[in-house]
């Protein structure tokens, strides 16, 4: 007999309503991320979903940036049928910060199937932040061409293989 695992949070270390299992299981997190703030030489991160709970002074450090991941533009299954809307909601949260971040860092899976229009849509949505965006490829960003399209878009000036 197979034991069924319940959908419950076992360890909510950051009091953000998410644990590792829940995070890995839930594709609906696509397009969200974290605000990272350097204060006194210590990097701290805060979930974009909990920014309204933060005092404005918390977001004011020596350096701040926003890390997002897994926008998976092109995905359209029940876990997240509107990935563009999810990413736009993340941009709205970024734009609502009391202190604008220095830059954005997208840590992979920009696209779902490495299609040009998926990259174009993410670029267009992220322009609304008015911030420079740095990209790290995910496996979905290098599916069809061994990353050539990703490097052409985001790796100009990179050294070596990008």
């Amino acid at each position: 007999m197979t034991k069924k695992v319940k959908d419950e949070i076992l360890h909510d270390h950051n009091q953000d309503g998410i644990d590792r299992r829940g995070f890995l299981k839930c594709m609906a997190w696509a397009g969200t991320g974290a605000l990272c703030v350097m204060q006194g030489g210590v990097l701290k991160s805060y979930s974009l979903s909990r920014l309204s709970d933060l005092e404005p002074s918390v977001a004011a450090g020596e350096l701040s940036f926003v890390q997002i991941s897994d926008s998976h533009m092109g995905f359209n299954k029940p876990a997240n049928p509107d990935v563009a809307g999810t990413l736009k909601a993340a941009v709205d949260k970024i734009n609502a910060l009391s202190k604008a971040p220095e830059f954005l860092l997208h840590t992979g899976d920009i696209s779902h199937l490495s299609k040009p229009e998926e990259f174009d849509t993410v670029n267009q949505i992220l322009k609304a932040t008015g911030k420079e965006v740095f990209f790290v490829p995910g496996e979905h960003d290098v599916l069809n061409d061994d990353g050539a399209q990703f490097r052409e878009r985001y790796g100009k000036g990179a050294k070596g293989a990008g």
Side-chain angles (χ1 to χ4, degrees):
M1 183 170 154
T2 305
K3 182 179 177 183
K4 185 175 179 174
V5 177
K6 289 182 173 183
D7 288 337
E8 64 184 31
I9 296 171
L10 301 176
H11 304 287
D12 191 4
H13 299 288
N14 296 317
Q15 290 76 46
D16 62 1
I18 297 172
D19 67 355
R20 184 175 184 276
R21 175 174 289 162
F23 178 81
L24 293 172
K25 184 176 179 184
C26 184
M27 176 58 191
W29 254 70
T32 64
L35 169 67
C36 300
V37 180
M38 182 74 73
Q39 295 173 326
V42 177
L43 186 66
K44 299 177 182 178
S45 64
Y46 305 93
S47 170
L48 287 183
S49 65
R50 303 280 302 214
L51 292 180
S52 61
D53 297 344
L54 294 178
E55 294 292 325
S57 62
V58 171
E62 294 94 40
L63 170 74
S64 68
F65 64 93
V66 171
Q67 180 268 327
I68 60 174
S69 181
D70 296 285
S71 50
H72 277 279
M73 198 56 59
F75 182 85
N76 62 358
K77 303 292 185 245
N80 190 353
D82 183 13
V83 292
T86 301
L87 184 56
K88 287 176 185 175
V91 166
D92 290 343
K93 290 175 184 178
I94 294 165
N95 288 337
L97 288 168
S98 59
K99 181 178 182 289
E102 301 294 322
F103 60 88
L104 274 64
L105 174 63
H106 193 302
T107 52
D109 290 344
I110 301 157
S111 68
H112 191 62
L113 297 173
S114 297
K115 294 182 178 178
E117 61 271 17
E118 294 170 355
F119 291 113
D120 291 343
T121 300
V122 170
N123 291 344
Q124 190 63 37
I125 292 170
L126 293 180
K127 274 186 190 177
T129 66
K131 295 295 172 186
E132 187 171 9
V133 183
F134 298 94
F135 295 93
V136 176
E139 75 274 13
H140 285 260
D141 302 323
V142 297
L143 287 176
N144 303 320
D145 61 1
D146 199 29
Q149 184 179 190
F150 177 90
R151 287 189 304 279
E152 175 63 28
R153 288 173 178 270
Y154 309 114
K156 289 184 170 101
K159 301 200 184 292

